[in-house]
């Protein structure tokens, strides 16, 4: 496979240095992408860079994932309006290990192949670098004029941040530039990749290599991913969409992809999956013929959820979705863990009831009118039950005075009442 051609049809090339394609055609190339380790999980904003490394390895080249332990202590001014918090070494090491586990789902770190992936941390070569050595060996090669001309610096200096730009952040491009130099000298790394906002930092590295030892290296960036409506990709009302299930459940992760617009699905399926061009073209045709069936979104959500989590998590997410939107059974409902149950029914009306109300058993008609006001009156409930329009835990209520006990509770504390096809109510027994 031709790496650049692969990225181009996927819409993943923003800027590329002349000569990059020629280099990739003549030899196995080592390239790196930098990853910020300020959290112990990646989020989907990292995925485009990770997919670049995945395609790179599939095309026979050697990927390096660089965890910016040193640069993470400083903070990149690119696209930021405020200086970030600095991390201690223990936190950085913890974050690095967690990130490597996630990356292992995308990259081959374990085989004996000559292009197996490696994880490197710039803290390892920066921690013993003295300020005087850095000023002498790195700083003297790049002029302040060169650094000041960078767009990321200009934006901060021109008043987009209240506090201007600290010296710490100003040195960031030199530190990132030195990473490229170090990996070039120690691992023969000739290509750096990243988001288009990193172009200034990447070219500083290429310039540093040229000025220190005359070496020629290359750069390739991908576009910053956006939504069709101009909104920020990967952000929801509750924050980032994380790859770690502790922060974003597989169900919510799956739902994020399932709910993207048609226009976004057509772009994202190229960027965030490894499906072939032919498969994606066939899916796009299928989707155009029946958009209401959402073929693109369903396949996108499936591919990304399995890649990031597992097939088991994907199947559980589909089952959970069917509970709300399909004809799922009470058995499927009972299989949900508590976190997924709450995620599925987030936003539906909820009632809290004391456990004492169920202790001796209670008639449904009393419970759902007096204890939890699901129905306005007992007469209304009686009429709906007789018409087959009320379900408890996904099973039709056959009698309005059916006795409800603690044995009916899901996860020992929940009851799910359904009025008609679409109205759900969650009762929490405490």
């Amino acid at each position: 496979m031709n790496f650049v051609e692969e990225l181009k049809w996927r819409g993943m090339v923003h800027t590329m240095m002349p000569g990059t394609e020629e280099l990739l055609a003549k030899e196995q190339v080592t390239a790196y992408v930098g990853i910020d380790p300020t959290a112990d999980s990646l989020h989907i904003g990292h995925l485009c860079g990770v997919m670049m490394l995945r395609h790179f390895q599939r095309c026979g080249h050697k990927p390096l994932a660089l965890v910016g332990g040193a640069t993470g202590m400083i903070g990149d001014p690119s696209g930021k309006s405020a200086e970030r918090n600095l991390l201690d070494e223990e936190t950085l090491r913890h974050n690095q290990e967690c990130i490597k586990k996630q990356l292992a789902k995308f990259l081959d770190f374990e085989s004996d192949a000559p292009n197996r992936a490696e994880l490197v941390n710039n803290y390892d070569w920066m921690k013993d670098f003295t300020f005087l050595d850095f000023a002498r060996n790195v700083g003297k090669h790049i002029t302040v004029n060169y650094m000041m001309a960078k767009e990321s610096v200009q934006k901060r200096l021109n008043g987009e941040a209240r506090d201007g730009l600290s010296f710490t952040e100003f040195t960031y491009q030199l530190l990132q530039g030195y990473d490229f130099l170090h990996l070039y000298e120690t691992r023969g790394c000739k290509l750096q990749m990243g988001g288009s906002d990193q172009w200034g930092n990447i070219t500083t590295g290429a310039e540093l290599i040229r000025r220190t030892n005359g070496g020629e290296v290359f750069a390739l960036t991908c576009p910053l991913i956006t939504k069709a409506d101009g909104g920020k990709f990967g952000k929801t009302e509750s924050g980032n969409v994380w790859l770690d299930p502790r922060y974003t459940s597989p169900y919510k992760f799956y739902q994020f992809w399932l709910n993207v617009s048609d226009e976004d699905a057509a772009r994202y399926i190229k960027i965030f999956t490894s499906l072939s061009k032919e498969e994606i073209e066939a899916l796009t045709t299928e989707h155009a013929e029946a958009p209401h069936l959402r073929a693109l979104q369903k396949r996108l959500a499936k591919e990304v959820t399995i890649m990031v989590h597992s097939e088991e998590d994907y199947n559980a997410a589909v089952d959970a979705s069917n509970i709300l939107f399909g004809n799922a059974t009470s058995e499927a409902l009972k299989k949900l863990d508590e976190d997924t149950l709450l995620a599925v029914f987030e936003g539906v009306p909820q009632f809290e009831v004391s456990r004492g109300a169920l202790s001796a058993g209670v008639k449904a008609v009393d419970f759902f009118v007096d204890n939890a006001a699901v129905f306005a009156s007992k007469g209304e409930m009686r009429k709906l039950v007789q018409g087959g329009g009320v379900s408890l835990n996904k099973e039709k209520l056959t009698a309005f005075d059916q006795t409800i006990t603690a044995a009916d509770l899901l996860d020992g504390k929940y009851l799910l009442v359904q009025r008609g096809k679409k109205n759900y109510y969650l009762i929490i027994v405490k």
Side-chain angles (χ1 to χ4, degrees), residues 71-86:
T71 37
M73 287 181 159
I74 299 239
D76 179 3
S78 305
K80 306 290 190 303
S81 58
E83 193 158 343
R84 67 180 58 172
N85 295 328
L86 310 184

Side-chain angles (χ1 to χ4, degrees), residues 202-338:
I202 294 172
T203 52
T204 296
E207 184 67 8
L208 182 62
I209 291 166
R210 187 184 70 78
R211 292 187 185 186
T212 51
N213 57 33
E216 186 181 23
V217 292
F218 299 88
L220 189 158
T221 61
C222 61
L224 293 181
I225 309 303
T226 56
K227 293 199 295 188
D229 63 8
K232 190 165 183 182
F233 168 73
K235 289 280 186 187
T236 64
E237 286 176 17
S238 53
N240 284 322
V241 179
W242 298 95
L243 272 54
D244 190 313
R246 292 175 300 162
Y247 306 135
T248 301
S249 70
Y251 168 76
K252 279 195 169 178
F253 186 85
Y254 168 77
Q255 283 292 324
F256 171 83
W257 299 100
L258 193 64
N259 290 315
V260 300
S261 69
D262 288 358
E263 193 177 334
D264 287 335
R267 285 188 305 127
Y268 295 168
I269 200 161
K270 295 176 185 174
I271 297 168
F272 299 113
T273 78
S274 297
L275 294 176
S276 70
K277 191 174 184 178
E278 293 71 29
E279 279 181 287
I280 290 174
E281 284 171 352
L283 275 167
T284 305
T285 303
E286 182 187 338
H287 185 94
E289 288 168 357
H292 63 286
L293 297 178
R294 300 174 72 76
L296 279 174
Q297 285 93 336
K298 286 177 181 174
R299 188 62 185 276
L300 170 67
K302 176 180 181 177
E303 293 293 321
V304 186
T305 304
I306 290 174
M307 184 166 58
V308 169
H309 295 291
S310 68
E311 190 149 4
E312 189 181 358
D313 287 323
Y314 160 71
N315 290 330
V318 172
D319 288 345
S321 298
N322 286 338
I323 286 165
L324 196 53
F325 306 113
N327 299 313
T329 63
S330 62
E331 287 309 307
L333 181 66
K334 287 168 187 168
K335 281 198 295 188
L336 292 189
D337 60 81
E338 185 176 9

Side-chain angles (χ1 to χ4, degrees), residues 329-331 334 390-398 418:
T329 63
S330 62
E331 287 309 307
K334 287 168 187 168
V390 180
S391 295
L392 173 64
N393 297 342
K394 281 292 186 182
E395 287 183 349
K396 285 262 188 264
L397 264 189
T398 51
Q418 189 176 353

Side-chain angles (χ1 to χ4, degrees), residues 135-148:
R136 279 171 56 95
N137 300 331
V138 180
K140 72 175 181 179
H141 294 288
I142 301 290
T143 66
V144 170
N145 306 46
Y146 180 87
M147 295 171 72
M148 292 281 286

